[in-house]
Amino acid sequence: MKKNTLILGIESSCDETAASIVKNGNEIISSVVASQIESHKRFGGVVPEIASRHHVEQITLVIEEALKQANVTMDDLDGVAVTEGPGLVGALLIGVNAAKTLAFMHNLPLVGVHHIAGHIYANRFETEFKFPLLSLVVSGGHTELVLMKADNEFEIIGETRDDAAGEAYDKVARTLGLAYPGGVQIDKLAKDGEDTFHFPRAMMDDGSFDFSFSGLKSSFINTLHNLRQRGEEPDPNDMAASFQASVVDVLVSKTIRAAKEYDVKQLLLAGGVAANQGLRERLIQEVKLELPDTELIIPPLSLCGDNAAMIAAAGTVSFLQGKRSNYDMNANPGLLLEDI
């Protein structure tokens, strides 16, 4: 094997079509992302059929551009890593079939990657992992606390019982009339608001590491509707700040407690909501106060959203462990993190 390992990563699980070339699992040589936000904005969320059509149009282009930017050819690569699941089945199929075709044509090893493993391994571009570590994964479809005692060993010690945090963000943003993606808009408004509504902090002190945001979402929507029925229009900044304060309080409180209980060396933030400034700032503050001996790792904003560099990073770990996928690999929208 060559001294340097070059992996092509492909991501198409939702509404970004992405390709990336990564060296040794921790150095991005190129990263290309074709976003579909403008196409889905008018619908207030991702439309699966539209997402799949865009992936068909973009997949070849982003792969060619990633190779071009990296100044490499398929013959220079050691393998192809692709998001196998979870995600939208039609969207996943585009990336999986593209990866299988390239691997077959160029006789390259094929590695299927779990989407959330990719988000976690996005932090490898910041520093090497030290185990045991704990990752707070927060995205539109996932809110989980994941314990890792070794590479590619995932134990979910806490997860949402209903809405994911990012999903709740988008739903309350829609109620306020904000454009998709709503999480970004709520975060911006929250900076200029105060927690005047004191929404519930569900399950914060129940002793578990699980989360629930459905009640918070309902409380927000009901409060807004009741005010408007009385002819009042609340300050959107205060509404956003109050909602975000509830989410961040619960996420950070449970994460800090879990990190203490499992005595982890590193605490990672991962997923699309990792870009939330309120969450990032609060986590930095609390880790400094409560976990002075624990290293906090937060990925750059460019690696919080869906991208292929993170898939290549996670794929490199699997590749070096000797894991390979067969050509009968299919899109797996229900793929479990602990089963990979």
Side-chain angles (χ1 to χ4, degrees):
M1 184 181 297
K2 297 182 298 186
K3 183 178 180 181
N4 292 320
T5 302
L6 281 180
I7 298 293
L8 165 65
I10 298 173
E11 154 65 21
S12 69
S13 64
C14 191
D15 61 339
E16 274 89 17
T17 315
S20 176
I21 306 297
V22 168
K23 181 165 70 174
N24 297 331
N26 58 13
E27 181 181 348
I28 300 174
I29 308 302
S30 69
S31 181
V32 180
V33 180
S35 175
Q36 302 177 13
I37 287 179
E38 291 304 317
S39 295
H40 298 285
K41 186 178 290 185
R42 58 180 169 147
F43 300 106
V46 178
V47 180
E49 178 62 24
I50 293 175
S52 298
R53 291 179 183 180
H54 278 296
H55 287 310
V56 171
E57 295 169 357
Q58 295 293 329
I59 191 71
T60 302
L61 299 176
V62 298
I63 292 171
E64 290 177 347
E65 184 62 22
L67 292 167
K68 179 181 177 182
Q69 289 185 12
N71 194 28
V72 298
T73 68
M74 292 298 300
D75 293 334
D76 296 316
L77 302 178
D78 293 287
V80 180
V82 63
T83 305
E84 181 181 356
L88 303 174
V89 63
L92 288 165
L93 277 169
I94 310 304
V96 166
N97 283 315
K100 290 199 294 185
T101 300
L102 288 172
F104 179 78
M105 287 176 61
H106 298 277
N107 194 29
L108 289 170
L110 177 67
V111 181
V113 174
H114 192 287
H115 183 72
I116 296 305
H119 276 301
I120 292 172
Y121 274 97
N123 288 281
R124 273 283 305 277
F125 296 113
E126 294 298 295
T127 187
E128 289 299 310
F129 285 178
K130 299 173 186 175
F131 303 102
L133 64 79
L134 180 70
S135 182
L136 170 62
V137 179
V138 200
S139 69
H142 298 265
T143 303
E144 298 161 346
L145 282 169
V146 182
L147 179 67
M148 295 180 65
K149 297 180 180 179
D151 270 322
N152 260 348
E153 291 186 12
F154 306 98
E155 179 186 353
I156 297 175
I157 62 171
E159 60 188 331
T160 183
R161 297 186 181 179
D162 39 61
D163 289 359
E167 180 183 3
Y169 265 96
D170 285 338
K171 287 179 178 177
V172 301
R174 235 179 356 253
T175 307
L176 280 175
L178 302 176
Y180 172 83
V184 177
Q185 311 301 326
I186 292 289
D187 192 27
K188 288 179 180 178
L189 292 177
K191 294 176 184 177
D192 297 320
E194 299 291 336
D195 180 13
T196 58
F197 290 93
H198 307 295
F199 291 120
R201 273 68 168 162
M203 300 180 65
M204 191 162 77
D205 301 314
D206 71 338
S208 79
F209 296 124
D210 286 343
F211 306 94
S212 172
F213 297 106
S214 180
L216 167 61
K217 174 198 67 182
S218 298
S219 178
F220 180 97
I221 294 173
N222 289 337
T223 298
L224 182 60
H225 285 171
N226 288 338
L227 287 170
R228 286 175 172 171
Q229 285 172 354
R230 295 200 300 264
E232 301 175 30
E233 189 61 37
D235 184 340
N237 294 332
D238 288 345
M239 289 291 288
S242 299
F243 171 80
Q244 180 150 295
S246 177
V247 174
V248 170
D249 278 355
V250 174
L251 289 175
V252 173
S253 173
K254 291 196 173 237
T255 300
I256 295 295
R257 183 161 55 83
K260 288 180 177 179
E261 181 167 323
Y262 287 92
D263 193 23
V264 297
K265 296 179 180 178
Q266 292 177 327
L267 177 59
L268 281 55
L269 186 58
V273 184
N276 183 283
Q277 290 300 319
L279 176 58
R280 293 163 82 99
E281 292 168 7
R282 178 70 179 282
L283 201 55
I284 291 170
Q285 176 186 1
E286 293 299 321
V287 168
K288 186 176 181 180
L289 289 173
E290 302 287 341
L291 299 166
D293 297 325
T294 301
E295 181 182 11
L296 175 63
I297 308 171
I298 299 177
L301 294 178
S302 61
L303 293 176
C304 292
D306 291 349
N307 64 88
M310 68 183 195
I311 300 304
T316 300
V317 173
S318 295
F319 174 83
L320 294 176
Q321 289 179 340
K323 296 182 179 179
R324 302 291 184 267
S325 299
N326 299 320
Y327 289 117
D328 61 358
M329 179 179 68
N330 204 349
N332 189 346
L335 184 65
L336 299 178
L337 182 59
E338 293 168 305
D339 289 343
I340 67 170

